[in-house]
Amino acid sequence: MILSSIILAAGLVSRPYITAADFHSGRYDSHQVHINATVVDAFTDEADPAYVFFVLRNSGDFIYAYIKREFLDCPPEDLVGAEIAPWGVVVPPKRTQINPRRQAQRFYDIPNHEAFVVTRPAPNPYDLPDIDTAADCRPAELALLGRRTAHGAVLAVWNVGKSILIACSNRIVRADLASADPPSVGERIVAAGRPETDLTQLNLSRAVWRPEPELPAPQPSEPTSVSLKDLLTNKNGRRAINRSFRGRLITLTVPVRSAPDNDLSGRFTCGDGTFTVTVDISAGTGERPDFTPGDTVRVTGIAICDVDNCR
């Protein structure tokens, strides 16, 4: 039986400063280390909202880090562009019984509030360069840019307020919002987010926004009557999304294929047996449409090409 103990030596744990190359080498697996980095992306873990993930850039390479949301002093999106010098543990890429989900690759575990040190706050996101400056970048290069901005009037709000379409001076930009607190259709705004591409156009992901009422007011437009075939075939008559209608106000007269969803989106499908489209009414009045599958309806709204970004 041990009745007493004597501490022979005590000292601080050594936490060396390492680079991204050191981090990925495996030499520091399970060690406590410091890393100087820039936050290029931040998002809440969809599987466990108690955690936040960061994408950190150091010496031209990237590190994925995570921390409990309660250890942050501000919303995660407010840290994009900040320079930080946290310490944490390099978690090797292996699965364990204790934590099987986060071990698909090497991660950086920032353990508490004191370990998360901001050395330079993030810049004002609305002062950053326009998305046009990313027009010639390849998908892999976009990740290095950081946030970009889009200025214009909101054409559409969908996906229960998580996505908006912005009519800028020379392009139409989809912005997927960091939080479901969208602007109104017609409101003039500036949005700031990470530039990403669906390999056809540039979009903004995890965007934040603010009103910008001094922008020119949008010009009213009359809807264009189109058919499903017009929307879903190219000039050669082959099946393809006709992107020339993207962002335009259109009217469809089509049979209903499914009843509206019971969630906030109220989505339903329309089709003629050959072509099918999805209608999202989440930005509407909230009233449930009074129709059943088989009815023919006239639908007027903004045409949206909702394609996942390339990652």
Side-chain angles (χ1 to χ4, degrees):
M1 179 181 296
I2 300 176
L3 299 178
S4 63
S5 61
I6 300 174
I7 299 176
L8 298 178
L12 296 176
V13 174
S14 174
R15 298 175 184 140
Y17 281 85
I18 67 171
T19 65
D22 296 328
F23 179 89
H24 293 297
S25 71
R27 296 194 305 270
Y28 293 92
D29 284 354
S30 303
H31 286 66
Q32 295 182 12
V33 298
H34 279 279
I35 295 175
N36 289 314
T38 301
V39 179
V40 296
D41 200 5
F43 51 94
T44 299
D45 185 348
E46 293 182 356
D48 186 350
Y51 282 86
V52 170
F53 274 97
F54 292 108
V55 182
L56 308 179
R57 184 175 64 222
N58 170 282
S59 303
D61 204 350
F62 297 96
I63 293 169
Y64 282 83
Y66 60 84
I67 187 173
K68 277 194 172 182
R69 175 65 181 82
E70 64 187 81
F71 297 148
L72 298 178
D73 294 327
C74 63
E77 56 268 22
D78 290 354
L79 291 163
V80 175
E83 293 184 3
I84 63 174
W87 70 263
V89 178
V90 182
V91 183
K94 63 182 180 181
R95 298 183 180 276
T96 68
Q97 291 182 343
I98 297 175
N99 199 354
R101 185 169 54 82
R102 287 195 174 83
Q103 310 305 314
Q105 61 175 319
R106 189 169 278 105
F107 284 103
Y108 190 42
D109 180 359
I110 304 172
N112 54 49
H113 178 274
E114 290 70 25
F116 191 84
V117 179
V118 178
T119 57
R120 191 183 73 177
N124 184 337
Y126 307 111
D127 292 338
L128 294 173
D130 190 86
I131 194 171
D132 283 346
T133 60
D136 296 328
C137 293
R138 295 172 301 188
E141 295 171 330
L142 293 175
L144 300 173
L145 292 181
R147 281 173 166 168
R148 288 296 184 268
T149 56
H151 304 249
V154 177
L155 289 175
V157 180
W158 77 99
N159 196 18
V160 198
K162 296 178 182 177
S163 299
I164 61 175
L165 208 62
I166 307 169
C168 303
S169 60
N170 62 342
R171 69 171 66 237
I172 293 173
V173 176
R174 187 187 88 214
D176 300 321
L177 302 181
S179 61
D181 180 23
S184 302
V185 172
E187 189 170 359
R188 286 159 284 174
I189 69 166
V190 53
R194 283 174 53 80
E196 295 184 347
T197 178
D198 58 19
L199 300 183
T200 301
Q201 62 255 333
L202 286 172
N203 306 307
L204 296 176
S205 71
R206 287 188 273 282
V208 295
W209 67 276
R210 74 175 183 192
E212 198 163 88
E214 65 274 14
L215 289 174
Q219 296 298 313
S221 61
E222 292 297 320
T224 300
S225 293
V226 299
S227 68
L228 289 175
K229 185 177 180 180
D230 294 332
L231 286 177
L232 299 172
T233 58
N234 62 19
K235 62 182 180 181
N236 298 319
R238 289 196 287 264
R239 277 182 178 270
I241 296 173
N242 188 338
R243 295 177 183 266
S244 68
F245 288 105
R246 180 175 181 259
R248 291 171 56 184
L249 185 64
I250 63 170
T251 295
L252 287 167
T253 302
V254 285
V256 176
R257 299 293 299 272
S258 69
D261 292 342
N262 291 322
D263 61 19
L264 295 176
S265 73
R267 288 187 175 190
F268 60 94
T269 57
C270 296
D272 57 9
T274 302
F275 302 103
T276 302
V277 295
T278 299
V279 179
D280 184 309
I281 60 172
S282 60
T285 62
E287 297 181 4
R288 310 300 293 181
D290 184 19
F291 55 71
T292 58
D295 292 346
T296 296
V297 296
R298 181 177 290 110
V299 182
T300 298
I302 299 295
I304 295 167
C305 183
D306 197 358
V307 179
D308 289 341
N309 291 323
C310 177
R311 301 211 174 147

